[in-house]
Amino acid sequence: MQIMKNTHLYLSLLFILTCAKEDSQAPNTPPTQIVKQYALTASAGDGGSVTGGGTFASGTQVSLTATPSSGYSFSGWSTGSTANPLTVTLNTNTTITANFQVIINSYTLTVIAGEGGSVSTEGGEYEEGTEVTITAIADGCQQFMSWSDGDTNIERTVTLNSDVEISAEFVSVMNEIEYNLVRLKFPCALNITSEKPYNETNKYKVSSYGWLNISNRETHNGYYYPTPDNYYPPRHFYTVAHNFDTGDFNNDGLEDMVVVWSTFPHTIERESRYSYSILINNGDGSMTYDHDAFINSSSQNNHHPYRTIVADFNGDGYNDFVSVGSGVSVVTANGYGNNIWQRIPLMINTGDGKFIDSSSNIEGQEDGFSPVEGMDFGHHISVGDVDGDGDIDIYSASALLINDGNGNFTNKINELPSSLRPIQDSGQGFIMTSVIADFNNDGIDDIFASYADSANQSQQPNEGYTGVYSISKNGNPSYIESDIGYLSDAKYGINNTKFNSAVAYDINLDGFKDIIVSVTRASPYYEGRALQVFLNVENSSTGKRKFESADYLLPDESSMDEMHGEGRLSVIDINNDGILDIAHSVVTNMNEESYGLSFYLNNNGSLTLFDMNEFAFMSQEQIPGKENWGLNGFNLRKAMPINLDNSGWIDYISTIDTSDTEEDGGYSILYSVLAKD
């Protein structure tokens, strides 16, 4: 019995324990596990930021967002993905970098060529900041004027920071004079053909054909000149570019030019007169005729203007110019002569390349038209500081015009020695050429002058007389007490030598300026050509300066006798060796052996004649429609040295003057000759 009780008790305890164990463990619950954690490290390169990094349980999907800074764009993650936002599933510690790049925009350049030319590129699409060089190319007789944004450089660089559209604008270089004169028109493209390559050599080339031309169709009824025995039948007047000078009129650093137009015959008074033209340098070998250069029209109304000089007369830093002329010398059948003199035109630059007639600033012509005392035959003009006050004075005919520094002039003719103020009506002749320079290095300019061919032994001290010079004494600007000297040995002898142009120039490089004079014969009229050189030397007996004729006369070629005179001399560095040379230009009927222009290169004091076969020029026979003229007129006249294309080498303005034909009148055509680098 007791055993059964114990058994029962044991079973009860076992049941209780079993139930308790089952109650302590919920059914279907897995055992507790440890979850791993991983770090996502997100960084940003230069140019932006990133969000979304941190620590997450294994297997977590995390979103990363890259945000670029201004001026940058998102370029991709270090994983190679470019998704943004980027989803990352973490199964391990992970480092990811967001990369950025500078934004580079693309812009479009459109380059358009206006009528009359082309451009080096039509443009395209370029990255921001790209520099593109564009060039305007003019056709034929056109010239580049400017880009549509106002830039006047033929070649320029455009930086692309936005879309750009730009056009090149061209204008015709066929500038035509309009002043009661018929215009000569060329086709735009001149077909230059000739057996002789007139238009290009190894050293020079003709450019901008016909960029200024003038024709005169006004007729006359015949005239007598130079004596009643010489009668010329009715024909056309003809107007030629008789003289030039250069200066920077608009202060752009380029040489501009004033042209003096003279109409022949100059022995008949006429109504149609055209005096001056202003040509503005474009810097590319061409020039533009400024139709509106003169503010007041009276400047265009002179009889036979002859010479001109550019200088700053009022001290304002801008180039002005002054001109003189011979007026009208009338000769009638009965021998009666009547000279119609003219004023001295003084043109003052207003500061913008325009000119106002300030002729009334000269004493004696306050009304603008009365002749100045001593201004009878203005065949010459020279300028310099003859009173040592720092401004520019004027000597012309017999007048000495002293500047007050503001461009107002007082005539000091009576302060000149008598040899420098001849009276034409008294038979003393007239001054034909002059030059002002400091010959004795005292700081004050002196005067040299040459008489016309009417000299005789009773009027001048030396047979074969060439000229007279007056040197300021002891710094005294008064020429009454100055030292007077005479030059002899005229090339063609007494009464047969004409003096056309003179320059002061230190030929032998001794520190003192010498004198070079261009001369021709008086008979045959203006025929012949020579340069006479006078060296400035010390007079051993007095210690003062004097001039001696050099051992050479240039040129000495027999062909030079075929030249027609009235040339001009220019002193300029032709070959860029740092030493000034000489250019001498006259009129010629050019043939294979003679030219209207000669260069004399200075080799340390020795003058060498340049081979003119290397020069380029145009001929009448090259003018379309005028081929049959041949060499029957003036083919080359008074070439003017000028730096046209700003290359540093000396270029030239040359002209063709045709003969005075009964049908066509006479033409004067200006064109440019460029030196090759």
Side-chain angles (χ1 to χ4, degrees):
M1 187 67 178
Q2 186 61 41
I3 294 174
M4 291 183 63
K5 288 182 179 178
N6 291 340
T7 300
H8 183 72
L9 179 60
Y10 172 78
L11 292 172
S12 298
L13 291 172
L14 180 62
F15 176 77
I16 292 171
L17 290 171
T18 303
C19 289
K21 182 178 181 180
E22 291 178 352
D23 290 341
S24 67
Q25 184 174 346
N28 301 323
T29 300
T32 302
Q33 299 179 356
I34 298 174
V35 179
K36 294 185 177 182
Q37 303 287 314
Y38 296 106
L40 175 60
T41 303
S43 62
D46 293 339
S49 61
V50 64
T51 58
T55 302
F56 304 91
S58 176
T60 302
Q61 292 185 333
V62 184
S63 179
L64 297 179
T65 301
T67 304
S69 302
S70 178
Y72 290 82
S73 64
F74 172 70
S75 61
W77 303 95
S78 55
T79 62
S81 175
T82 57
N84 191 24
L86 174 68
T87 299
V88 180
T89 301
L90 289 183
N91 294 310
T92 185
N93 292 328
T94 302
T95 299
I96 297 178
T97 301
N99 297 317
F100 304 90
Q101 63 184 7
V102 177
I103 296 176
I104 300 178
N105 296 318
S106 294
Y107 296 109
T108 300
L109 171 65
T110 304
V111 186
I112 302 171
E115 184 178 354
S118 59
V119 289
S120 58
T121 177
E122 296 181 352
E125 189 170 324
Y126 302 89
E127 291 184 350
E128 183 179 12
T130 300
E131 294 183 345
V132 182
T133 298
I134 58 177
T135 305
I137 305 167
D139 296 336
C141 297
Q142 304 290 312
Q143 70 184 32
F144 170 73
M145 183 173 68
S146 69
W147 298 97
S148 52
D149 60 357
D151 193 311
T152 57
N153 293 306
I154 296 175
E155 183 179 281
R156 60 177 296 188
T157 299
V158 178
T159 302
L160 274 299
N161 294 312
S162 63
D163 292 337
V164 175
E165 181 176 310
I166 191 169
S167 59
E169 300 173 0
F170 304 89
V171 296
S172 173
V173 299
M174 297 307 300
N175 299 298
E176 299 164 340
I177 295 293
E178 300 180 56
Y179 191 83
N180 297 329
L181 302 172
V182 173
R183 293 170 292 170
L184 173 64
K185 296 183 179 181
F186 290 139
C188 183
L190 294 180
N191 298 318
I192 305 299
T193 58
S194 176
E195 295 180 358
K196 185 179 178 69
Y198 294 110
N199 56 306
E200 187 167 4
T201 69
N202 292 328
K203 296 185 181 297
Y204 293 91
K205 64 178 179 180
V206 174
S207 179
S208 300
Y209 304 113
W211 52 262
L212 186 64
N213 55 78
I214 187 171
S215 176
N216 192 341
R217 297 300 302 275
E218 186 181 355
T219 60
H220 60 80
N221 295 321
Y223 64 99
Y224 296 89
Y225 187 79
T227 72
D229 297 328
N230 303 113
Y231 176 73
Y232 298 85
R235 301 287 289 270
H236 289 86
F237 287 99
Y238 62 99
T239 301
V240 301
H242 196 271
N243 208 257
F244 321 117
D245 204 11
T246 61
D248 184 4
F249 296 140
N250 55 0
N251 277 17
D252 63 353
L254 301 173
E255 284 190 286
D256 309 308
M257 187 170 70
V258 55
V259 182
V260 174
W261 299 100
S262 294
T263 300
F264 295 87
H266 59 289
T267 57
I268 304 175
E269 189 174 5
R270 61 199 182 279
E271 294 182 0
S272 300
R273 300 190 295 270
Y274 196 90
S275 301
Y276 313 104
S277 296
I278 299 298
L279 303 172
I280 301 300
N281 193 341
N282 299 305
D284 60 355
S286 65
M287 306 190 84
T288 298
Y289 168 48
D290 187 352
H291 294 261
D292 303 314
F294 298 102
I295 295 175
N296 47 349
S297 59
S298 60
S299 62
Q300 302 286 21
N301 209 23
N302 286 341
H303 289 284
H304 201 65
Y306 197 80
R307 299 282 174 93
T308 188
I309 287 185
V310 172
D312 180 11
F313 292 111
N314 60 352
D316 64 352
Y318 293 92
N319 284 151
D320 318 302
F321 73 92
V322 66
S323 180
V324 294
S326 57
V328 179
S329 301
V330 179
V331 181
T332 62
N334 60 7
Y336 175 75
N338 180 31
N339 292 328
I340 303 173
W341 307 122
Q342 63 182 23
R343 66 200 177 110
I344 304 174
L346 174 65
M347 305 296 166
I348 298 298
N349 195 328
T350 60
D352 55 0
K354 307 300 182 183
F355 294 87
I356 186 168
D357 190 343
S358 303
S359 305
S360 59
N361 290 5
I362 298 175
E363 182 183 18
Q365 55 184 29
E366 289 83 1
D367 59 0
F369 296 96
S370 300
V372 174
E373 181 185 2
M375 266 308 304
D376 39 17
F377 192 82
H379 195 277
H380 76 100
I381 185 170
S382 52
V383 300
D385 185 14
V386 300
D387 59 354
D389 64 351
D391 52 39
I392 304 299
D393 309 306
I394 301 170
Y395 174 56
S396 183
S398 298
L400 177 62
L401 307 177
I402 300 299
N403 194 345
D404 68 352
N406 298 312
N408 302 299
F409 293 87
T410 302
N411 191 358
K412 299 292 185 178
I413 183 174
N414 293 323
E415 294 189 12
L416 287 169
S418 59
S419 57
L420 291 177
R421 49 183 176 95
I423 303 174
Q424 183 176 355
D425 295 339
S426 69
Q428 289 182 286
F430 57 89
I431 302 295
M432 201 164 184
T433 191
S434 65
V435 64
I436 296 175
D438 185 5
F439 295 124
N440 60 348
N441 292 352
D442 67 348
I444 300 178
D445 287 340
D446 314 302
I447 296 178
F448 162 80
S450 287
Y451 279 85
D453 58 287
S454 59
N456 61 60
Q457 201 168 3
S458 64
Q459 295 155 4
Q460 281 108 26
N462 296 305
E463 185 175 356
Y465 176 83
T466 297
V468 59
Y469 59 90
S470 179
I471 295 180
S472 58
K473 186 176 182 178
N474 300 322
N476 186 349
S478 173
Y479 283 90
I480 296 177
E481 301 297 331
S482 62
D483 295 327
I484 305 298
Y486 298 91
L487 305 182
S488 59
D489 304 321
K491 168 66 174 175
Y492 298 110
I494 192 72
N495 285 329
N496 199 37
T497 300
K498 283 184 173 290
F499 313 99
N500 298 291
S501 184
V503 293
Y505 166 44
D506 183 11
I507 291 179
N508 55 5
L509 308 179
D510 66 349
F512 288 90
K513 290 183 178 179
D514 312 300
I515 296 174
I516 307 97
V517 183
S518 66
V519 297
T520 64
R521 297 182 182 91
S523 180
Y525 191 64
Y526 274 125
E527 294 298 323
R529 176 191 186 186
L531 294 186
Q532 190 158 2
V533 179
F534 296 93
L535 297 179
N536 187 343
V537 299
E538 182 178 347
N539 190 327
S540 58
S541 62
T542 65
K544 300 177 180 180
R545 309 303 300 182
K546 68 175 183 177
F547 291 92
E548 291 184 349
S549 182
D551 294 334
Y552 47 81
L553 295 172
L554 299 172
D556 57 3
E557 295 89 340
S558 59
S559 63
M560 296 299 106
D561 287 341
E562 302 174 7
M563 300 297 101
H564 188 76
E566 290 195 285
R568 72 167 288 148
L569 286 167
S570 301
V571 176
I572 198 162
D573 186 3
I574 298 171
N575 55 355
N576 278 356
D577 65 351
I579 301 176
L580 296 177
D581 311 297
I582 302 173
H584 183 210
S585 178
V586 297
V587 177
T588 178
N589 290 339
M590 233 163 14
N591 55 51
E592 294 183 357
E593 298 179 351
S594 61
Y595 300 88
L597 179 64
S598 293
F599 302 146
Y600 304 95
L601 305 180
N602 191 339
N603 299 306
N604 295 314
S606 175
L607 296 178
T608 302
L609 189 62
F610 179 83
D611 183 6
M612 286 308 300
N613 285 303
E614 293 292 345
F615 193 71
F617 52 85
M618 285 186 65
S619 171
Q620 291 176 353
E621 59 191 1
Q622 295 176 297
I623 303 173
K626 308 299 181 182
E627 295 86 354
N628 61 341
W629 282 352
L631 300 175
N632 64 352
F634 299 136
N635 279 271
L636 187 68
R637 179 190 288 266
K638 300 179 183 173
M640 179 71 189
I642 183 174
N643 187 2
L644 274 173
D645 55 0
N646 211 28
S647 68
W649 291 88
I650 300 303
D651 315 301
Y652 288 83
I653 299 299
S654 292
T655 71
I656 299 173
D657 293 339
T658 71
S659 56
D660 169 23
T661 64
E662 187 174 353
E663 298 79 15
D664 294 325
Y667 296 127
S668 187
I669 304 154
L670 279 73
Y671 63 95
S672 53
V673 179
L674 302 183
K676 297 181 179 180
D677 296 347

